[in-house]
Amino acid sequence: MLELRRLRLLRELHERGTIAAVADALQFTPSAVSQQLSMLEREAGVPLLERAGRGVRLTDTALVLVGHAKALLERVALAEADLAAAEGVVAGRARIAGFESVSLRLALPAMERLAREAPRLRCELVEAEPEQALPALALGDVDLVLGDEWRHQSMKVPAGVQRHELFSDPVYLVLPGRHPLARAHAGAVPLSALAGEAWTTGEAGMGWDEMTRRTCRELGGFEPDVRHRANGATIGVALAARGLAVTMLPELALPARPTGVQLRPIAEGPVSRAIFAATRATDAARPSTQALLGAVREAADAV
């Protein structure tokens, strides 16, 4: 009989790549992981691992077993969720992953509500971009992900993960308070008129940077002169407030009352991103997941 916990270790090794990564994720020692995998080999009666440099890799036979392990583990997760639903108690551990602005505006209000209404539920927050958080959700490292998706950069959702749409987050031009275009236009500002400005964006290749460059090219007809790069909206707004640059930012990332700047829609067309939550499909019936998702939806409605 194949032992289910050892099958999970095999699946984890397939997903994470190294015994050290499996041990770190599951809070085991590497030697304990190796020992359990050796026992699984004896149970299976066939070689499952082979040497590959300083590490190991799965044999072809092991890959066949991984497919069965995924199916078995999914059924067990569904059974656990059904048992929790039958009990009807919101309890246990709920781990939320999200980037800075959704954590501040959605995750923290949701956790505050659950602390009052479901005191037996232990909520934990980790700051992470959706590119890292969604695979972690599929592996069981977190229980709910708050993510974003730009129109030009679709977000791939791993197998076994459900996406829940929350709202559309509009993007605004952020101009210095005394900028001539801000004075001339009480409403939308032509993006093309900002072709000669210095711009602030985020890290090259990430969502903020890609959105800014693509929007300037497609709607404004120019390549922005990116002089400043920041990890978050705070620096971008501060640079604009001092007249050092312009930028564009989604509403959720902006301070509640930004000072020294003017916010304007883009005249050439609305730009926005989708804000969503994601959970494991196997957890759909779990009361803790339903409570977590409900609290996040309420926070999103308030936004």
Side-chain angles (χ1 to χ4, degrees), residues 106 109-111 113-114 117 290-300:
L106 301 182
M111 292 168 64
R113 175 190 167 188
L114 290 169
E117 298 182 1
Q290 293 177 347
L292 194 58
L293 190 57
V296 165
R297 286 192 185 279
E298 183 175 280

Short mmCIF file of all heavy atoms in Angstrom, two decimals, residues 106 109-111 113-114 117 290-300:
data_model
loop_
_atom_site.label_atom_id
_atom_site.label_comp_id
_atom_site.label_asym_id
_atom_site.label_seq_id
_atom_site.Cartn_x
_atom_site.Cartn_y
_atom_site.Cartn_z
N LEU A 106 -7.57 45.67 0.86
CA LEU A 106 -8.49 44.54 0.87
C LEU A 106 -8.18 43.53 1.98
O LEU A 106 -9.06 43.15 2.75
CB LEU A 106 -8.49 43.83 -0.48
CG LEU A 106 -8.89 44.66 -1.71
CD1 LEU A 106 -8.88 43.79 -2.95
CD2 LEU A 106 -10.24 45.32 -1.52
N PRO A 109 -8.51 44.99 5.87
CA PRO A 109 -9.90 45.11 6.34
C PRO A 109 -10.60 43.75 6.48
O PRO A 109 -11.38 43.56 7.42
CB PRO A 109 -10.56 45.96 5.25
CG PRO A 109 -9.45 46.73 4.62
CD PRO A 109 -8.27 45.81 4.67
N ALA A 110 -10.30 42.82 5.56
CA ALA A 110 -10.91 41.49 5.65
C ALA A 110 -10.43 40.77 6.91
O ALA A 110 -11.24 40.14 7.63
CB ALA A 110 -10.56 40.67 4.41
N MET A 111 -9.14 40.86 7.20
CA MET A 111 -8.61 40.21 8.40
C MET A 111 -9.17 40.84 9.67
O MET A 111 -9.45 40.14 10.65
CB MET A 111 -7.08 40.29 8.38
CG MET A 111 -6.43 39.45 7.28
SD MET A 111 -4.68 39.82 7.05
CE MET A 111 -4.03 39.31 8.64
N ARG A 113 -12.11 42.23 10.01
CA ARG A 113 -13.49 41.74 10.16
C ARG A 113 -13.51 40.32 10.70
O ARG A 113 -14.28 39.99 11.61
CB ARG A 113 -14.21 41.81 8.81
CG ARG A 113 -15.61 41.22 8.85
CD ARG A 113 -16.20 41.07 7.48
NE ARG A 113 -17.40 40.23 7.51
CZ ARG A 113 -18.05 39.82 6.44
NH1 ARG A 113 -17.62 40.14 5.24
NH2 ARG A 113 -19.12 39.07 6.56
N LEU A 114 -12.65 39.46 10.16
CA LEU A 114 -12.64 38.06 10.58
C LEU A 114 -12.15 37.91 12.02
O LEU A 114 -12.56 36.98 12.72
CB LEU A 114 -11.77 37.24 9.63
CG LEU A 114 -12.37 37.05 8.23
CD1 LEU A 114 -11.33 36.47 7.28
CD2 LEU A 114 -13.61 36.17 8.29
N GLU A 117 -15.43 38.40 13.78
CA GLU A 117 -16.54 37.49 13.50
C GLU A 117 -16.15 36.02 13.53
O GLU A 117 -17.03 35.16 13.70
CB GLU A 117 -17.12 37.84 12.13
CG GLU A 117 -17.70 39.26 12.06
CD GLU A 117 -18.31 39.57 10.70
OE1 GLU A 117 -18.29 38.68 9.82
OE2 GLU A 117 -18.79 40.70 10.52
N GLN A 290 -14.67 30.10 2.51
CA GLN A 290 -15.86 30.90 2.22
C GLN A 290 -15.86 32.18 3.05
O GLN A 290 -16.21 33.26 2.54
CB GLN A 290 -17.12 30.08 2.50
CG GLN A 290 -17.31 28.91 1.54
CD GLN A 290 -18.52 28.08 1.88
OE1 GLN A 290 -19.10 28.20 2.96
NE2 GLN A 290 -18.92 27.21 0.96
N ALA A 291 -15.48 32.08 4.32
CA ALA A 291 -15.44 33.27 5.18
C ALA A 291 -14.38 34.25 4.70
O ALA A 291 -14.60 35.47 4.67
CB ALA A 291 -15.17 32.86 6.62
N LEU A 292 -13.23 33.74 4.32
CA LEU A 292 -12.13 34.58 3.84
C LEU A 292 -12.53 35.30 2.56
O LEU A 292 -12.35 36.52 2.43
CB LEU A 292 -10.90 33.70 3.60
CG LEU A 292 -9.55 34.38 3.41
CD1 LEU A 292 -9.21 35.23 4.61
CD2 LEU A 292 -8.48 33.32 3.18
N LEU A 293 -13.10 34.56 1.62
CA LEU A 293 -13.51 35.15 0.35
C LEU A 293 -14.65 36.16 0.57
O LEU A 293 -14.67 37.23 -0.06
CB LEU A 293 -13.94 34.05 -0.61
CG LEU A 293 -14.19 34.45 -2.07
CD1 LEU A 293 -12.96 35.10 -2.67
CD2 LEU A 293 -14.58 33.21 -2.88
N GLY A 294 -15.57 35.85 1.46
CA GLY A 294 -16.65 36.78 1.75
C GLY A 294 -16.15 38.09 2.34
O GLY A 294 -16.62 39.17 1.98
N ALA A 295 -15.17 38.00 3.24
CA ALA A 295 -14.62 39.21 3.85
C ALA A 295 -13.86 40.05 2.82
O ALA A 295 -13.91 41.28 2.84
CB ALA A 295 -13.71 38.83 5.01
N VAL A 296 -13.16 39.38 1.92
CA VAL A 296 -12.43 40.10 0.86
C VAL A 296 -13.41 40.79 -0.09
O VAL A 296 -13.20 41.93 -0.51
CB VAL A 296 -11.51 39.13 0.10
CG1 VAL A 296 -11.03 39.74 -1.21
CG2 VAL A 296 -10.31 38.74 0.97
N ARG A 297 -14.49 40.10 -0.44
CA ARG A 297 -15.50 40.70 -1.33
C ARG A 297 -16.13 41.93 -0.66
O ARG A 297 -16.39 42.95 -1.33
CB ARG A 297 -16.59 39.69 -1.66
CG ARG A 297 -16.16 38.60 -2.64
CD ARG A 297 -17.37 37.83 -3.13
NE ARG A 297 -17.02 36.70 -3.98
CZ ARG A 297 -16.73 36.79 -5.26
NH1 ARG A 297 -16.70 37.98 -5.85
NH2 ARG A 297 -16.45 35.71 -5.97
N GLU A 298 -16.39 41.85 0.64
CA GLU A 298 -16.96 43.01 1.33
C GLU A 298 -15.99 44.19 1.31
O GLU A 298 -16.39 45.34 1.10
CB GLU A 298 -17.31 42.65 2.78
CG GLU A 298 -17.97 43.76 3.56
CD GLU A 298 -18.40 43.35 4.94
OE1 GLU A 298 -19.46 42.70 5.06
OE2 GLU A 298 -17.68 43.65 5.90
N ALA A 299 -14.70 43.91 1.53
CA ALA A 299 -13.70 44.98 1.46
C ALA A 299 -13.62 45.56 0.06
O ALA A 299 -13.47 46.79 -0.11
CB ALA A 299 -12.34 44.44 1.89
N ALA A 300 -13.75 44.70 -0.96
CA ALA A 300 -13.72 45.18 -2.35
C ALA A 300 -14.93 46.06 -2.64
O ALA A 300 -14.81 47.07 -3.34
CB ALA A 300 -13.66 44.00 -3.31
#
